Amino acid sequence: MGRLIVYILAVACGVGLIGCTHSRMTYLPDGRAGYAISCSRFYQNWSSCVTKAGRLCRTRGYTVSYSDEVNGQMVVGCKVAGSDSK
C-alpha cells in the first residue's frame, strides 16, 4: 500500500513538471501589456501555447506579437473588448 502511494505521488509530480505551459506578463512593442508563453516541455506541442493564450485572454481573443513554433515560444496581447484591430 505504501509503495502504491509513493508511485502515485511520483507520477503526479512528474506530470506536473512536464505538463505545464508557463506564462508571464510582459509588454508588447506598442506598449500594451501582454503575455510571454512557453510550451517547450516534453509532453507539449504548439496547441498548448494556443490553448494557454486562449485561456489568458478568454472571450476577448488575442493577437500574436511573436511566435516561434520550433522552440515553443509565443508572445500575445489580449484584444480590447469591442475592438477588432488590436
Side-chain angles (χ1 to χ4, degrees), residues 45-65:
N45 55 32
W46 189 245
S47 66
S48 299
C49 274
V50 173
T51 300
K52 182 69 171 187
R55 287 183 179 155
L56 290 167
C57 296
R58 300 182 185 202
T59 60
R60 294 176 291 171
Y62 60 90
T63 57
V64 178
S65 178

Side-chain angles (χ1 to χ4, degrees), residues 5-75:
I5 291 173
V6 171
Y7 177 77
I8 291 171
L9 289 173
V11 170
C13 288
V15 170
L17 291 174
I18 60 177
C20 298
T21 303
H22 297 281
S23 65
R24 64 178 173 79
M25 291 284 300
T26 189
Y27 289 95
L28 305 177
D30 65 3
R32 292 183 302 137
Y35 296 98
I37 302 170
S38 175
C39 52
S40 59
R41 294 194 178 199
F42 182 69
Y43 272 102
Q44 297 169 338
N45 55 32
W46 189 245
S47 66
S48 299
C49 274
V50 173
T51 300
K52 182 69 171 187
R55 287 183 179 155
L56 290 167
C57 296
R58 300 182 185 202
T59 60
R60 294 176 291 171
Y62 60 90
T63 57
V64 178
S65 178
Y66 170 81
S67 66
D68 180 353
E69 192 168 342
V70 173
N71 293 310
Q73 303 292 319
M74 175 187 270
V75 177

